[in-house]
Amino acid sequence: MAIQVPFHSESFDDLLDATFPFYLSCNGQMEIERIGRSLAKLLPGMPANASFDQFFEIKLPATVRSFSELAKIDGQVVVLAIRHCNSILRGQIFVTKQSAIFLVSLRSESAAELGKLGIGIGDYAGHDAAMELLFMKQAQSTQLNELQEMIAKLETTASEKQRLESIESALMHDLDVAADIIVRFNSAHRIIECRSVRESYWCNQIDPVGKLVHEIFPELDSVLESITGTSESTFEPVAFEFDTKSKGKLFQFDARVAKTLDSNFLLLARDVTQQKAMDQKLKFMALHDPLTDIGNRILFEEKATDLLNSESNFAILIIDVNDFKTINDNLGHHVGDEVLRTFASKMKLVDGNVTVAARLGGDEFGILLNGISDKETALDLARQLNKKLTEMIFFDGVFIEPRASIGIAISDSESSFDQLMRDADFAMYAAKNKETKSSIVACDKAIREKIKIQMETRLDLQSAIKKNQFINYYQPVVDLKTGKIASFEALVRWQHPTRGLLTPYHFVELAEENGMIADIGKLVLKMAFDDLNAIHAIKGREHVSFSVNVAASQIQDPNFIQIINQSLEESNCAVNKIILEITESALISDFDKTQKSLIALRQKGIRISLDDFGVGYSSLNYLRQLPFDIIKLDRSLITEICECEKQRKIVEAVIMLGRSLGLLMVGEGIETEKQKLTVKEMGFDYGQGYLFAKPVPFVEAMSLITADVLFSMAPQQVRLIPTYVPECRC
Ligand code: C2E
Ligand code: MG
Ligand code: MG
């Protein structure tokens, strides 16, 4: 057997590696020269020039030990045992003057063991090519035929006959190693010989010898047709696959059949049952998510690409579990996992339309709905799915009411996978956005545009923090008894270089999601403390307080107290005139941390206000467990109490409760005379809203304070507009 390529050219090494990833070569001193990438996984850390004997044992031919002996078996079947792990390598050896190269593949180890060693489908890429070489290079079978003929005709001494028979049995053994079933049949297709390495294969239960080969191997029919017409000199093997069943067990074989020189046929079959099971298992593992057993991102992309290639119309749904982090943090990861598993099981049930459901990562799922070309049908199916997903789950003693956000993109003739995913992602983010008011959104031009702006905003925010493009606006909070300004709420604004002055609506949520709110919060605090100092510097205005909004992530940041301390130190402002406003939604994410932080802040003398009360969970428990000083009733309720008697009664009860807990009540978003009079009449202490003043820049806030502006509390409000005379702040 001559190999016409130099052993150590790079391209040859690459070729070897790709075809026989378990190959190895050794030099004349029996030192290992190189090993294939997959074999390296079985022998990690093998040193350069390691001794062949230290790592391998030649099991077949069993007598061969030295390099000169290897040279004699050039082209033959070899079986090596790996000493460290008892694995078997099987294949052929090729020897040149300087090197012996073993073109082998791995023949043992269970799928689980291989998985542990990091060996997967990729390591079997060269399997087919290896089989080709191993099975049908004819060398052994031809030699064998010749030998058998010689033995039959032999009239020599018994010892010579014995010697030749032993060579024959060695050669048969070689073939046995290369194949699990060997069948010879004649030109009339009758089986002359049948050998199998395992007793449990069919051929030990029924004797195939003498039978027509296609009776035993029906799969051979078409193969025989193609071989029958071939000329004597053609020995190209034809591949086919067949199965056998024995005692209820299925065996799968890869087989080759070819004509031999004596015009008979030789069929060699290799049992690939285990390997196929392993391949299937590895393939499953490579394409599925281990937690939920549904597809993973790779499978999702594969199926979507297939649909795109077949020009089918389909919809992509991206589904995100809302507040998954909160579920994980508060209820534990085992509950989070159960939510994911439950979601996955429901994904498969979308009215039989699901082509594939996959977990794309974390708490994100994807569904491909084939045959969908219109938005309404996709939305309809998504609504059905959402209904199922949001059913209550009871697990480990807790009820969970999961929520999902679903984004939809529908393919068209121009679609690519990446663009569809981007669109579905955009739509999912829009569904998450509170102001969309729907948890299911199908992507359209407007959404694409909006999300594009959000993405640009996210990038701009980073540089805005560096360049400090933020300023505080201040909105007065009025004492409803006196009409005087009691405090100002600091409301951040972003001076965007191209888009002008932006309100928090455009960036606060985004900054929270991207972990940038802490940096913005620091700037806001610093400005607010400095401005408060400036107001307190004016004689007689020392009673004025400032409230600053803080996000949940700021409060829960272990460094938050330190940040407050540092800002206080730098500005040296009056601690008891500072109010921090925290929304209800911020309380639910990590109650313990929040409670700890709020208690520490309260101990410093800072007051805490519960903002936007009445729109979220409105849990009275929070009022009991957390050290609040003030409740700010949300703007939406202020409108409602003027129009709905029932709502008014509820709010009156809250006011009574607040009073009994010693809390002050603020009404937000007062826009009309009627609202002002209602909140005053109901017993609110303070009011805030456009009726009194919109949020204004600090200089204007300063002018309101210096002018001692007084808001009328009488039914007809007369507002005094002061003339602003800027004061020296030194
Ligand atoms: P918020 O703390 O509830 O602030 C009140 C919001 O209602 C302000 O909106 C204010 O301009 C608006 N508002 C006040 N009176 C009226 C009224 O009579 N009618 C109407 N229609 N609106 C009124 P703004 O300034 O856009 O702030 C929105 C939210 O952004 C704030 O709600 C607060 O939650 C958040 N925010 C503002 N500044 C900061 C900050 O520095 N840090 C953090 N984390 N959040 C902030
Ligand atoms: Mg506020
Ligand atoms: Mg508010």
Side-chain angles (χ1 to χ4, degrees), residues 105-280:
S105 48
L106 189 65
R107 287 287 289 157
S108 53
E109 302 286 357
S110 70
E113 282 162 358
L114 289 180
K116 271 186 235 152
L117 294 164
I119 290 176
I121 299 170
D123 299 295
Y124 285 93
H127 168 245
D128 273 357
M131 287 280 287
E132 209 63 57
L133 268 173
L134 272 176
F135 276 150
M136 292 311 297
K137 281 305 173 192
Q138 289 283 317
Q140 287 85 3
S141 61
T142 312
Q143 278 180 45
L144 191 66
N145 290 336
E146 285 164 5
L147 255 168
Q148 280 167 342
E149 270 170 36
M150 277 171 71
I151 292 166
K153 288 179 203 153
L154 214 61
E155 280 169 15
T156 51
T157 59
S159 67
E160 180 63 3
K161 190 169 175 174
Q162 213 178 7
R163 193 180 71 81
L164 287 171
E165 274 173 353
S166 76
I167 298 175
E168 182 207 26
S169 89
L171 278 166
M172 278 312 279
H173 186 73
D174 281 6
L175 272 178
D176 284 352
V177 173
D180 296 304
I181 294 176
I182 303 165
V183 176
R184 283 202 307 134
F185 55 95
N186 62 21
S187 52
H189 298 170
R190 282 217 183 266
I191 297 176
I192 350 176
E193 187 187 357
C194 180
R195 303 161 63 103
S196 81
V197 291
R198 284 182 65 171
E199 282 180 8
S200 51
Y201 295 150
W202 54 269
C203 46
N204 289 318
Q205 292 159 30
I206 29 163
D207 185 7
V209 175
K211 295 217 161 53
L212 282 170
V213 72
H214 64 259
E215 287 174 27
I216 310 292
F217 303 102
E219 298 89 342
L220 250 183
D221 259 357
S222 58
V223 181
L224 286 174
E225 264 171 42
S226 67
I227 304 178
T228 313
T230 55
S231 73
E232 290 284 310
S233 56
T234 308
F235 294 98
E236 266 315 300
V238 180
F240 73 107
E241 291 176 6
F242 68 91
D243 303 337
T244 68
K245 235 182 183 174
S246 171
K247 292 181 191 155
K249 197 171 172 210
L250 182 80
F251 294 99
Q252 294 171 289
F253 294 90
D254 268 0
R256 302 287 191 275
V257 64
K259 250 181 176 175
T260 55
L261 282 172
D262 58 4
S263 292
N264 287 330
F265 293 91
L266 185 70
L267 183 159
L268 299 180
R270 190 171 144 194
D271 178 354
V272 289
T273 317
Q274 257 194 348
Q275 189 182 320
K276 282 212 165 153
M278 186 185 81
D279 282 358
Q280 246 175 3

Side-chain angles (χ1 to χ4, degrees), residues 315 317 369 372 374-383 408 410:
L317 267 61
L369 296 173
I372 306 284
D374 69 299
K375 198 168 146 179
E376 277 319 309
T377 318
L379 279 167
D380 224 42
L381 288 166
R383 276 184 217 114
I408 302 171
I410 293 166

Side-chain angles (χ1 to χ4, degrees), residues 489 549 581 583 611-613 632-635 668 688:
E489 176 174 7
N549 294 283
E581 293 193 9
T583 58
D611 203 357
D612 300 345
F613 186 78
K632 283 184 94 170
L633 203 75
D634 190 72
R635 180 156 58 94
E668 273 188 325
Q688 180 183 358

Side-chain angles (χ1 to χ4, degrees), residues 425-442:
D425 242 358
F426 282 176
M428 192 272 286
Y429 277 111
K432 262 200 183 311
N433 225 313
K434 280 178 211 133
E435 25 106 33
T436 322
K437 292 202 175 72
S438 168
S439 50
I440 305 166
V441 173

Side-chain angles (χ1 to χ4, degrees), residues 475 489-493 503-504 508 517 524 549-551 554 581 611-612 635 668-671 689-690 695:
Q475 188 178 29
E489 176 174 7
L491 294 159
V492 67
R493 300 291 183 262
T503 59
V508 162
I517 196 70
V524 169
N549 294 283
V550 279
Q554 279 177 275
E581 293 193 9
D611 203 357
D612 300 345
R635 180 156 58 94
E668 273 188 325
I670 298 172
E671 291 179 346
Y690 291 174

Side-chain angles (χ1 to χ4, degrees), residues 307-324:
L307 289 178
L308 284 169
N309 290 341
S310 66
E311 292 178 14
S312 316
N313 282 315
F314 65 98
I316 283 187
L317 267 61
I318 289 187
I319 302 123
D320 194 89
V321 188
N322 290 359
D323 296 323
F324 185 66

